[in-house]
Amino acid sequence: NCTTPERHDTEPQVLSMLLAGERDDYTWSISGAARIDGRPAVLLDFREKEPLTLEVTVQDDDEDCLTYTLKGGIRGRLWLDAESHDVLRLDQRLSGQANAPMPKVLQRRPGSSATMTVERFDTSYRFKRMRFDNPEETLVLPVSSTSLRVTQGAGTPRMRVTTEYMHYRRFLTGGRIVPQ
């Protein structure tokens, strides 16, 4: 129950940093060129301006449900297709370690830690063009993501998650407004 998606009312989208209203929250620099999936790419480094902070809470008064929120302190690299400017890959990581006190109710448990430290939180996404028919449309969509989290003082010290996205389907529907 602690990790169900329903517990999160919002989740930032992977490439939201590229939206006009978000770009000023980062510093940007071109860091060179490379090849990815046989295509020439431009490398664009970024760093979030907001400093790294960590908040640890007990969710819904359930002592077995610990939640932590990281804000700021993200840095990484975008791999952009040199011709189309499509995002081909995104790598991001924390700019350093983050520490926060554990909630008092958890500090009283025997053998528990007074603080939690997030040592690493690395994520990598890969994107490809996906073509759809009826109507014809091509979208750049994620095909895989891998994350590695390393923490101290929490229940799961190391966790690697790899997800592959495949067999995309597009569903179209119609509707009509019926006046009362």
Side-chain angles (χ1 to χ4, degrees):
N1 244 2
C2 187
T3 59
T4 59
E6 294 80 18
R7 289 196 176 267
H8 307 289
D9 57 353
T10 62
E11 182 177 340
Q13 296 302 306
V14 175
L15 297 175
S16 63
M17 68 183 68
L18 298 174
L19 296 171
E22 305 284 327
R23 287 192 298 256
D24 287 341
D25 295 338
Y26 298 82
T27 57
W28 302 89
S29 62
I30 295 177
S31 61
R35 292 189 74 77
I36 183 169
D37 297 331
R39 306 222 12 111
V42 175
L43 306 179
L44 183 62
D45 287 352
F46 63 89
R47 183 180 185 114
E48 200 169 7
K49 292 177 182 176
E50 182 180 350
L52 177 61
T53 60
L54 171 65
E55 181 183 358
V56 182
T57 57
V58 172
Q59 194 73 40
D60 298 330
D61 295 322
D62 180 355
E63 293 180 22
D64 293 324
C65 189
L66 177 72
T67 299
Y68 67 92
T69 304
L70 291 163
K71 290 187 179 177
I74 300 294
R75 64 186 312 167
R77 174 171 285 168
L78 285 164
W79 303 61
L80 305 174
D81 185 291
E83 294 173 22
S84 67
H85 302 116
D86 291 345
V87 175
L88 301 174
R89 180 173 166 173
L90 164 68
D91 296 332
Q92 60 186 23
R93 64 191 180 284
L94 295 178
S95 58
Q97 293 186 359
N99 299 298
M102 292 291 267
K104 295 285 185 207
V105 68
L106 296 177
Q107 289 183 24
R108 291 190 286 261
R109 287 184 169 181
S112 68
S113 176
T115 61
M116 178 179 167
T117 302
V118 177
E119 294 179 5
R120 289 182 65 180
F121 198 146
D122 304 346
T123 310
S124 182
Y125 300 92
R126 300 206 41 141
F127 301 88
K128 288 194 177 174
R129 285 182 170 224
M130 299 289 172
R131 185 169 138 31
F132 296 96
D133 295 316
N134 194 20
E136 285 189 21
E137 185 177 34
T138 300
L139 301 173
V140 177
L141 297 170
V143 292
S144 68
S145 70
T146 301
S147 68
L148 171 66
R149 295 177 221 168
V150 178
T151 61
Q152 288 184 17
T156 307
R158 287 174 180 79
M159 182 166 60
R160 180 184 301 268
V161 177
T162 300
T163 306
E164 291 188 18
Y165 306 96
M166 57 184 71
H167 306 297
Y168 277 105
R169 303 286 190 274
R170 182 177 57 183
F171 298 93
L172 300 177
T173 185
R176 64 186 176 122
I177 298 174
V178 179
Q180 293 187 2

